Amino acid sequence: MGKTKKALVFVLLSLLIAAPLFANGASESGDDVVTIRFEQFSGSDGTGSGEALRQMIAVFEEQNPDIKVELQAIGYDDYFTQLQSKVVGQNTADVFELNYENFVSYASQGVLADISGYLGDTSGFNQTALEAFNYNGIQYGVPNSFSNCVLFYNKDLFDQAGVAYPTDDWTWSDVETASKQIMSALGEGIWGFYRPLTFNEFYKGVAQNGGALMSEDGSAFTVNTPENVETAEIMAGWQIDSHIMPTEAEMGGMGDWDLFKSGRLAMLVTGVWAFTDFSANCSFDWDITIEPGNTAKATHFFSNGYVVSADSEHKEEATKLAQFLAGSSEASAIRVAASWELPPVTYEDVLSSYLEMTPPENREAVFESLDYLVPPPVVVQQAEMSAIIDSYLQQILYGSMSAQDALDACQAELESKISL
């Protein structure tokens, strides 16, 4: 074989050997480009949150040119059904989103990677939120959002009725009194208060009345204590007795947010993620204050987190993406600018810009409420537990069972069906 032919064969063999490398994403310089699949539900396509998330990813990719992110947004209603199928088929994304309530269930199944060894500096995270994604001493995720509930109120309705605005020290009694005054002054079609009797509101309600649904160590249910029975009676009474809250039929197909935005509801307990919607769609002045309790203050701890699949072949890069999107100052600033919940961080410059945004005027109440966070009870059988509790709360609300009988039965069913 001549020298020319030998050289040609050498070149062809070299290209054949290199071809698989380029096919797997190697750059011409020989540097591998790792592709990370990222699936989530809170950054919706076509919304401010979705655009904010894409901006965050763009900054991350600019800072990490060796990592490419494939983003998929899935609607919340379908998200967990699809996620379970992917877990069974061992086809989960490298990074995916979980809410706090479902985190323990997935962590206990062994489908999440221990990311402790890949995490960088975590001092910028709110430590309460960070610890929420630690299970049995192992860090399986990082919080990407952090929020709570407050009392929203329609200032115009209070002004028209001549009733003083709610304050941070209000109790349930104050809410009921003001609601009756407003409804009496303004007539039919105006409602005083809305807070549904559901698992999420009830667990928080019992905390506001000195109770709890589980023992402090999580080893036993305590659903039918006197404090909890009283809480159920009072909360159901807002619709049944004082009737400051409309029934489903009286809502006429409207949701609680729609009723508030229509100007017909004086007070509403809901999450701070309502700020963007209410700012854009309320034609009246509104503000917020710390959520009222009965004998104590308490507010719902909401947090979504990013976790890494135990099956991921790129755990280090996946963790780097999760930590950047969740806790970097760059991503947090983008989140705040988009009014997309509260970033779970302690950066003063980022949080100060959040406080400067209006409405509401009393945005400081969001941070003051953090002193009263109460995480919901969480078990492996989370969906089944909450469904059982909800079913008995509905029996109380519709008058089918007394609060005592319903919670006694609920306690018994939980003990027989839910493993702790």
Side-chain angles (χ1 to χ4, degrees):
M1 184 180 297
K3 289 184 179 180
T4 303
K5 289 185 176 180
K6 286 182 179 180
L8 181 58
V9 169
F10 177 78
V11 170
L12 290 172
L13 286 173
S14 297
L15 289 173
L16 287 172
I17 293 171
L21 295 176
F22 288 108
N24 284 320
S27 67
E28 293 182 4
S29 63
D31 296 327
D32 287 340
V33 175
V34 172
T35 298
I36 299 297
R37 287 174 54 209
F38 172 39
E39 296 182 354
Q40 52 81 50
F41 56 79
S42 60
S44 305
D45 286 334
T47 68
S49 61
E51 177 58 29
L53 185 56
R54 293 185 183 278
Q55 290 177 26
M56 295 177 193
I57 291 173
V59 174
F60 175 80
E61 290 181 330
E62 183 178 354
Q63 294 182 8
N64 299 273
D66 58 336
I67 304 176
K68 176 179 174 55
V69 181
E70 289 185 353
L71 170 66
Q72 183 174 8
I74 302 172
Y76 185 82
D77 290 343
D78 299 321
Y79 184 84
F80 287 97
T81 300
Q82 291 190 30
L83 180 57
Q84 281 288 4
S85 297
K86 290 170 184 174
V87 168
V88 172
Q90 296 183 315
N91 187 36
T92 53
D94 296 284
V95 179
F96 57 96
E97 187 172 20
L98 287 177
N99 56 3
Y100 171 71
E101 289 82 355
N102 283 309
F103 167 71
V104 169
S105 177
Y106 283 85
S108 66
Q109 293 178 45
V111 299
L112 309 184
D114 176 358
I115 62 173
S116 307
Y118 304 118
L119 281 174
D121 180 14
T122 59
S123 61
F125 279 105
N126 178 291
Q127 293 304 300
T128 298
L130 182 64
E131 290 169 9
F133 294 92
N134 186 298
Y135 177 67
N136 286 342
I138 298 175
Q139 197 70 38
Y140 285 111
V142 288
N144 70 321
S145 66
F146 186 47
S147 54
N148 52 29
C149 289
V150 291
L151 180 72
F152 288 76
Y153 61 95
N154 182 324
K155 297 173 74 173
D156 287 7
L157 291 183
F158 275 84
D159 290 342
Q160 292 167 25
V163 177
Y165 297 150
T167 61
D168 291 350
D169 59 357
W170 265 31
T171 66
W172 292 348
S173 177
D174 295 311
V175 168
E176 188 168 325
T177 298
S179 294
K180 290 177 178 178
Q181 292 173 342
I182 291 170
M183 293 171 67
S184 176
L186 303 183
E188 187 175 352
I190 301 298
W191 296 96
F193 186 52
Y194 193 90
R195 182 181 175 185
L197 184 55
T198 59
F199 166 74
N200 281 332
E201 289 299 327
F202 183 60
Y203 104 81
K204 181 179 56 175
V206 301
Q208 293 169 348
N209 197 33
L213 298 184
M214 296 179 71
S215 61
E216 190 171 347
D217 63 1
S219 63
F221 287 106
T222 57
V223 172
N224 58 343
T225 63
E227 297 90 348
N228 297 353
V229 171
E230 181 183 44
T231 299
E233 290 172 342
I234 293 173
M235 293 184 69
W238 292 330
Q239 190 173 92
I240 299 171
D241 301 322
S242 62
H243 203 39
I244 60 174
M245 186 173 88
T247 64
E248 188 174 330
E250 289 165 331
M251 297 276 282
M254 298 181 75
D256 52 350
W257 283 25
D258 293 329
L259 189 63
F260 186 78
K261 288 185 290 185
S262 73
R264 297 169 51 209
L265 179 63
M267 290 175 283
L268 168 67
V269 170
T270 194
V272 298
W273 53 89
F275 288 172
T276 302
D277 191 357
F278 290 178
S279 296
N281 297 299
C282 290
S283 60
F284 51 85
D285 288 335
W286 58 274
D287 208 344
I288 64 169
T289 190
I290 296 174
E291 185 177 348
N294 195 33
T295 63
K297 291 285 190 183
T299 188
H300 198 136
F301 169 82
F302 286 98
S303 186
N304 296 330
Y306 293 143
V307 298
V308 174
S309 171
D311 294 329
S312 173
E313 296 180 357
H314 307 291
K315 295 181 178 63
E316 183 174 359
E317 293 86 352
T319 301
K320 191 173 187 178
L321 171 65
Q323 184 165 5
F324 177 87
L325 297 177
S328 71
S329 58
E330 298 96 327
S332 297
I334 293 171
R335 180 179 285 274
V336 166
S339 297
W340 181 22
E341 295 188 293
L342 188 63
V345 298
T346 57
Y347 306 122
E348 290 187 8
D349 56 336
V350 173
L351 298 182
S352 63
S353 65
Y354 178 84
L355 284 172
E356 292 168 0
M357 301 171 69
T358 57
E361 293 294 331
N362 186 27
R363 196 173 279 245
E364 184 65 43
V366 175
F367 293 95
E368 292 170 347
S369 296
L370 299 183
D371 292 335
Y372 308 109
L373 292 177
V374 180
V378 173
V379 298
V380 172
Q381 298 165 266
Q382 185 72 16
E384 187 177 359
M385 177 190 70
S386 60
I388 290 171
I389 294 174
D390 271 332
S391 68
Y392 286 103
L393 294 178
Q394 290 301 298
Q395 299 277 4
I396 298 169
L397 192 61
Y398 294 125
S400 304
M401 300 178 75
S402 69
Q404 184 70 66
D405 289 344
L407 295 189
D408 284 344
C410 182
Q411 175 80 16
E413 185 169 349
L414 289 170
E415 290 176 345
S416 68
K417 294 183 177 180
I418 306 298
S419 301
L420 297 179

